[in-house]
Amino acid sequence: MTARLPLTGPLDLAATLDSGQAFRWRPQVPTSSGQGGGWWRGVLGSNAVRLRVPTRRDGERLYLEVESSPEPEDDLLPHLVRYLDLERDIDGVHHALAMHPYLQRAIASFSGLRILRQEPWECTVSFLLSPQSNIPRIRRNVEALAQAAGEPIETRDSPVYGFPSPEALADLGEARLRQLGLGFRAKAVAAVASKVATGELDLAALQSLPFSESEAALQALPGVGPKVAHCILAFSLDKGEGFPVDRWVRRGVLREFFQGRKTNDKVITAWARETFGPLSGYAQQLIFHWERSQALEERPLPGSRAFQGRTGPARAQSVERSSSKTRSITRLMMEMAWP
DNA sequence: AGCCAGGAGAATG
DNA sequence: CATTCTCATGGC
C-alpha cells in the first residue's frame, strides 16, 4: 500500500524523526546507484512503514509506503496525520517564535522541524530509558525491548517488531530488563509497566487533564522527574507547555535569554512557560536542535555519520553560503545526493 | 583508556 | 532548600 499526502507546510523528516523525540526511525541506506535514498523506516502501530518527502516545485508531498502485511486498517492515514501533526500550522508557530532573534536563526535551519504526537505508552517507556543515557543507546534499548517482547510484523526482508504492550514488558520483569541492557532504568520501566498493565495508571487519560495536573501525575511515577515528564507531555500528550530542560537547552537559554547567568532548571521551566506559553515545546525543540548542531560544527568528529550530513546545519550552512536561498536540511540533502 | 551521557532519587550540608 | 552522590552500562 502506498499513499501521497499533500503538505500545507514544510516537513523535515530527518530533524523530526532522527534526533531525540522518537527512537525507532532509521534512514534507508541508498544503494550505490542512489536508489532508495531519502526514505525513513519505522513502525506505526502494527505496520512497518517508510516515509519520504521528495522535492517538488508544486509544493511538497509526503510519500507513505506500508512494507508489512497484511494490509493496514484504513485508519492508518489519519493516524499518520496525527503522528506527524500535519495539520499544525508550523509556519505560523515559527513566525510567532521568530520575534526572538536567536530562535529565528534556528528556524532558518529547521523550518520543517515538527513535534510528534506519539503513542503515550511508547513515549513514556522511551524517556524512562533516557536518564544518564544518550540517543544511540536509547535507540538500542528501545529496539531490544521490541525484539524481546514485541509482536512480530511480517515484511519481505528483515523481521520487524511492534512496540511491546505494558503487559509484555511487565511480564519480562526487572531482571530480564537489566539483561537487555537498560541498567538501573530497568527498575522504573518494570514498575511503570506494571502500573499500566494492572490499570492503575491510564497514560492516555492524562491528555485530558490540565497541564499541571498531568505533569504532577507523571512526576509521581518512579523514574519520572521534571525532564522525563516534560518529554512525555510535549511529545505524546499534546501539551504545548512542555519544555524539557537538558544540558543543551539549559546552555542555550542561559546564554541567549539570561545573559549567561546560571539559574536552576525550575526557574528556566517557569520562564519558558511565561515566555512561550503553548509554544514552549516548539521553542525547546529549536533550541535543542540548534545547540546540538552548533556543538557538532565546533567539533565535527571526522568520519562520523553526523558530519557526513543528515542533521545539523554545520554542513548545510556551508552549502547555503553558495546558495542564496534558505532551505530545509532534508531538501538540501536530497538535492545533494539525488539531483 | 577514560570521560561522559536528553536524570532521578536519596543522602547530606 | 541547595548541593552532592549513586545508580549500570555503553558510546565515542
Side-chain angles (χ1 to χ4, degrees):
Chain A
M1 179 243 188
T2 65
R4 279 183 261 182
L5 292 91
L7 294 177
T8 58
L11 171 60
D12 186 339
L13 289 177
T16 303
L17 299 178
D18 194 39
S19 18
Q21 287 189 55
F23 301 92
R24 298 202 67 194
W25 293 95
R26 305 284 187 277
Q28 180 175 348
V29 280
T31 63
S32 52
S33 58
Q35 294 299 311
W39 288 98
W40 288 88
R41 285 203 155 109
V43 178
L44 246 37
S46 58
N47 308 291
V49 304
R50 61 175 190 164
L51 305 174
R52 188 187 176 201
V53 180
T55 310
R56 294 207 173 273
R57 297 197 185 116
D58 56 341
E60 292 184 323
R61 295 177 183 186
L62 171 66
Y63 285 65
L64 161 72
E65 282 189 27
V66 178
E67 303 186 298
S68 54
S69 58
E71 287 294 300
E73 307 291 324
D74 47 359
D75 61 350
L76 176 61
L77 256 51
H79 271 116
L80 180 65
V81 170
R82 178 189 163 85
Y83 181 82
L84 293 172
D85 204 14
L86 294 181
E87 294 182 358
R88 182 81 54 180
D89 176 15
I90 188 67
D91 284 332
V93 170
H94 284 166
H95 180 74
L97 292 175
M99 65 178 289
H100 306 278
Y102 167 65
L103 294 183
Q104 194 170 22
R105 270 181 280 155
I107 292 166
S109 288
F110 300 111
S111 62
L113 171 58
R114 307 281 184 140
I115 292 185
L116 298 172
R117 297 173 71 178
Q118 301 179 60
E119 199 285 311
W121 165 240
E122 175 171 346
C123 185
T124 297
V125 174
S126 298
F127 285 99
L128 280 173
L129 300 175
S130 70
Q132 207 62 18
S133 186
N134 50 66
I135 291 175
R137 183 178 177 181
I138 299 170
R139 283 201 193 100
R140 250 180 30 96
N141 288 159
V142 173
E143 212 52 48
L145 292 181
Q147 288 189 23
E151 296 291 329
I153 297 174
E154 299 292 334
T155 68
R156 292 185 181 180
D157 36 54
S158 56
V160 175
Y161 296 88
F163 190 81
S165 68
E167 294 77 10
L169 286 192
D171 286 345
L172 280 182
E174 179 184 342
R176 179 83 181 100
L177 289 170
R178 279 178 183 267
Q179 289 176 5
L180 293 174
L182 305 199
F184 60 84
R185 305 159 197 88
K187 189 171 190 174
V189 172
V192 174
S194 164
K195 283 182 189 292
V196 176
T198 62
E200 179 184 340
L201 170 65
D202 183 354
L203 287 170
L206 299 182
Q207 185 164 345
S208 55
L209 294 180
F211 177 79
S212 296
E213 292 181 28
S214 186
E215 178 190 31
L218 287 171
Q219 290 205 39
L221 298 174
V224 180
K227 164 67 167 58
V228 172
H230 278 246
C231 284
I232 300 168
L233 290 163
F235 304 150
S236 75
L237 296 179
D238 201 25
K239 299 298 184 186
E241 302 93 333
F243 191 86
V245 178
D246 71 342
R247 69 184 192 114
W248 299 108
V249 173
R250 187 180 308 117
R251 176 192 300 190
V253 167
L254 294 185
R255 178 182 1 93
E256 301 291 340
F257 296 98
F258 282 74
Q259 287 77 44
R261 293 189 300 109
K262 56 177 176 181
T263 32
N264 63 48
D265 292 352
K266 205 185 300 179
V267 173
I268 295 176
T269 304
W271 165 85
R273 200 172 160 187
E274 286 177 21
T275 306
F276 304 119
L279 302 185
S280 293
Y282 289 93
Q284 188 273 352
Q285 279 297 289
L286 289 167
I287 296 169
F288 179 71
H289 282 257
W290 178 257
E291 292 298 321
R292 290 183 87 221
S293 66
Q294 290 299 108
L296 200 64
E297 188 173 20
E298 289 165 15
R299 191 167 50 86
L301 299 175
S304 74
R305 65 172 186 165
F307 182 72
Q308 303 189 0
R310 288 174 297 100
T311 61
R315 177 172 179 150
Q317 281 182 336
S318 66
V319 178
E320 280 184 21
R321 278 186 216 109
S322 59
S323 155
S324 57
K325 290 178 63 179
T326 299
R327 287 161 292 184
S328 81
I329 306 297
T330 300
R331 276 174 284 173
L332 212 48
M333 296 313 304
M334 294 227 187
E335 290 169 18
M336 290 165 61
W338 306 281

